[in-house]
Amino acid sequence: MPAIAAAPSPWPGPTQPAGLRWQFGQPVALGGPSGQRLATQWVLRRNCSLTPSQCGGAFAAVAAVSLLIALGFLWAGAPYVLAFAGLEVLVLGAALVAFSRHASDRETLTLDECRLLVERRIGSRSIHAEFVAHWVAVEPAAGQGALVRLSERGRSLDVGRFLLPGLRAAFARALRHAQRQACAEAHGPRSRPAPRPEPGPQDRFPEPKSH
């Protein structure tokens, strides 16, 4: 009987679990006393359409146009327009300064072997936390679409505020898969990581409902 060759399917194949590790994170090289090692890093940023430098350029352009128009009215004998234009430029400048302060807000999670390092930067404030990867529980802070809570031995930290609610469950699954794989690689095939004292419901992150 002649061999039958099947045509390739137009549908994408099933996603491999290993791909979850890179769905949100990227591999980064970290230096140390023993040389460079590979870690996984997630950088969750605020969705801003303008960078601080772009805000400065936009403000300068708007201010220049407003002041030129106001000077034209001043030359024509309407001095009050210049005062209102100056007030408008001041209010716009204050709004852009407030926007620029939070344009670089972000959350950075770095999975370095069996350490999970978390840095949150909001405005001029920053928070740093370190968790033991094989003890930390990744679970929802509340209900569906809630922030992702990292908890370990009585302390917790919520992350994912810059992600869409529908993407937080996928981010939690990718983070859990990466932490298990990193701990397995760090301990080797013959050793097993210490169990978590009180395992949480990290495998029951609610799935987003389809409408």
Side-chain angles (χ1 to χ4, degrees), residues 110-189:
T110 305
L111 184 59
D112 180 16
E113 294 180 345
C114 279
R115 297 188 307 156
L116 181 60
L117 311 175
V118 182
E119 178 189 4
R120 177 191 296 163
R121 186 179 299 274
I122 298 180
S124 58
R125 298 175 301 170
S126 61
I127 298 176
H128 298 265
E130 180 176 342
F131 297 91
V132 180
H134 58 260
W135 281 357
V136 66
V138 183
E139 55 195 7
Q144 178 180 336
L147 296 177
V148 180
R149 174 163 296 173
L150 309 176
S151 56
E152 179 219 340
R153 293 183 290 186
R155 60 194 183 103
S156 62
L157 181 66
D158 295 342
V159 298
R161 65 187 66 244
F162 302 132
L163 283 175
L164 293 175
L167 295 177
R168 289 169 183 165
F171 166 69
R173 289 194 297 269
L175 179 58
R176 284 200 300 266
H177 179 80
Q179 83 181 66
R180 294 184 188 123
Q181 185 171 349
C183 290
E185 293 173 356
H187 287 84

Side-chain angles (χ1 to χ4, degrees), residues 96-117:
L96 288 179
V97 167
F99 173 82
S100 299
R101 286 188 60 194
H102 295 280
S104 58
D105 290 356
R106 65 184 183 274
E107 292 174 333
T108 305
L109 292 82
T110 305
L111 184 59
D112 180 16
E113 294 180 345
C114 279
R115 297 188 307 156
L116 181 60
L117 311 175

Side-chain angles (χ1 to χ4, degrees), residues 15 17-26 40 42 167 169-171 173-174:
T15 304
L20 289 174
R21 182 172 184 175
W22 317 115
Q23 185 171 359
F24 293 90
Q26 295 293 331
T40 308
W42 296 262
L167 295 177
F171 166 69
R173 289 194 297 269

